[in-house]
Amino acid sequence: MENKKFISLLTIFIIAQPFLDVTIYFLNRVIGFESIITSIIRPLIALGIYLYLLFNHKVSSKAKKISFLYLAIYAIFCVFHLINIRNNFFSLSVGSLGSEIRYLFNYGYFLLQFINFYLIFKIAKEEEKKKLIKAFVLAIFFMTILYFISIITDTSPRTYTYSTKSGFRGWSVSAHYIGHSIIYALPVVIYSLFEKKHFNKWYKYIIFTLLIIPPFYLIGTKAPLFATFGIILFYTLMRIIVGIKTRTINFTNIYFIALSFILVFTFTKTYGFANFKNQVSVAEGDKTGTSIIEDS
């Protein structure tokens, strides 16, 4: 397969990810179709991509060895994880064999795709890299739009069941999945929109604003909340330092400074902070022999 055709197919696969996730959600949670097939489709595709790269002469043998080492370490973890089902040795995995295999496939998928992109960027041309990064940003944007639609249509399950004000997880089997997907993508999105300017239009500010609303305000889990907060503050600081050194100020700098102030002053009003405060209250209640759960 030609490298150009391979990159084109890969961009289509990247952009299709959010729609595939929603399809799997509706199959599992709405129709009730539970099958390991829905969990292994993407890992198998990722494996096919890896095998293609593994036998691609353009990829250096050193890069192939590094990728193989990562996979070997994960394979060893998988073996021990499956042996330890039902806590045979220590507390780690408590599910059934099928559920744990599905778990390992899903987590292995992200690792394998990380390795795939490491290898691809080793051999891709600059325009091909740009194409992949733009596809990546579009995929995250579509994921966010689908998330908003689920909330607007009141079809999104709550993040947690123990609180009436705990956030939303959208059409996703897990709030952690969509939350972590967005925060992992934010540095790449910032790089694409504001450093390389792959989307150098006025609407890039709207795109980025829409992307940070779910992990910071709506999803309600701690990792997306604190990670989004940290990423924005760090990049704002970098913008301020560069602006002082070059004695320049532009709209992007003003935008990030204003955005940081908004996040700082609204931090305690988020679902994630409310859930975090509840968790701390429960932990303190356990220490004193009482259980405290605030419905916030």
Side-chain angles (χ1 to χ4, degrees):
M1 186 185 296
E2 295 180 4
N3 200 53
K4 186 176 180 180
K5 185 177 181 181
F6 170 70
I7 296 295
S8 297
L9 290 174
L10 189 56
T11 55
I12 294 173
F13 178 65
I14 293 170
I15 295 174
Q17 293 291 298
F19 304 99
L20 180 59
D21 292 334
V22 170
T23 301
I24 291 174
Y25 168 80
F26 277 99
L27 285 174
N28 291 345
R29 300 302 170 91
V30 179
I31 300 177
F33 178 74
E34 290 281 351
S35 174
I36 195 173
I37 296 175
T38 57
S39 297
I40 67 174
I41 291 175
R42 285 185 299 183
L44 287 176
I45 294 175
L47 181 61
I49 294 172
Y50 177 70
L51 291 175
Y52 168 78
L53 294 168
L54 198 62
F55 291 101
N56 192 316
H57 68 277
K58 294 182 180 179
V59 181
S60 68
S61 59
K62 181 180 178 181
K64 292 176 182 178
K65 289 177 182 177
I66 292 174
S67 69
F68 192 78
L69 177 62
Y70 271 99
L71 290 177
I73 293 172
Y74 184 70
I76 293 171
F77 165 78
C78 291
V79 171
F80 278 104
H81 189 87
L82 294 176
I83 292 175
N84 190 55
I85 287 179
R86 300 296 179 184
N87 302 327
N88 291 325
F89 303 105
F90 48 86
S91 179
L92 178 63
S93 53
V94 295
S96 65
L97 179 62
S99 65
E100 293 302 320
I101 290 176
R102 183 177 301 178
Y103 158 82
L104 293 172
F105 263 113
N106 288 331
Y107 276 80
Y109 167 76
F110 291 107
L111 174 63
L112 191 55
Q113 284 293 64
F114 173 80
I115 291 171
N116 285 340
F117 280 96
Y118 165 76
L119 296 176
I120 290 167
F121 273 69
K122 285 285 186 180
I123 62 174
K125 298 177 182 178
E126 195 60 36
E127 278 302 311
E128 292 171 335
K129 293 178 183 179
K130 179 180 178 180
K131 189 175 182 179
L132 289 172
I133 292 174
K134 290 179 72 171
F136 187 70
V137 174
L138 285 174
I140 295 296
F141 178 69
F142 289 143
M143 176 184 286
T144 305
I145 294 300
L146 290 169
Y147 177 80
F148 282 124
I149 293 174
S150 73
I151 295 176
I152 293 171
T153 57
D154 196 26
T155 55
S156 167
R158 293 281 180 173
T159 301
Y160 302 109
T161 58
Y162 63 76
S163 173
T164 58
K165 190 181 180 182
S166 58
F168 307 89
R169 56 186 163 99
W171 293 323
S172 178
V173 294
S174 169
H176 295 286
Y177 174 79
I178 184 171
H180 287 69
S181 295
I182 295 175
I183 61 173
Y184 288 151
L186 279 182
V188 178
V189 173
I190 290 174
Y191 172 80
S192 177
L193 297 182
F194 304 106
E195 295 301 321
K196 285 297 184 178
K197 299 179 181 179
H198 292 330
F199 295 83
N200 195 22
K201 301 289 182 180
W202 62 268
Y203 54 75
K204 70 180 181 181
Y205 299 99
I206 297 177
I207 292 176
F208 191 75
T209 302
L210 290 176
L211 290 184
I212 67 168
I213 290 174
F216 191 80
Y217 291 105
L218 299 175
I219 292 175
T221 55
K222 297 185 296 297
L225 172 68
F226 287 103
T228 302
F229 191 61
I231 290 169
I232 301 302
L233 290 185
F234 177 79
Y235 187 69
T236 300
L237 179 61
M238 294 299 100
R239 276 276 172 181
I240 292 174
I241 292 173
V242 172
I244 292 174
K245 285 184 176 181
T246 59
R247 295 182 180 181
T248 59
I249 187 169
N250 53 45
F251 184 77
T252 300
N253 291 347
I254 296 173
Y255 167 79
F256 273 96
I257 292 171
L259 183 60
S260 294
F261 273 106
I262 292 172
L263 296 188
V264 168
F265 286 109
T266 60
F267 187 83
T268 59
K269 306 299 181 182
T270 61
Y271 288 141
F273 181 79
N275 291 330
F276 175 70
K277 186 170 67 172
N278 285 344
Q279 186 177 22
V280 172
S281 298
V282 170
E284 291 177 349
D286 289 341
K287 289 179 181 179
T288 59
T290 58
S291 179
I292 304 172
I293 299 181
E294 296 180 3
D295 186 27
S296 55

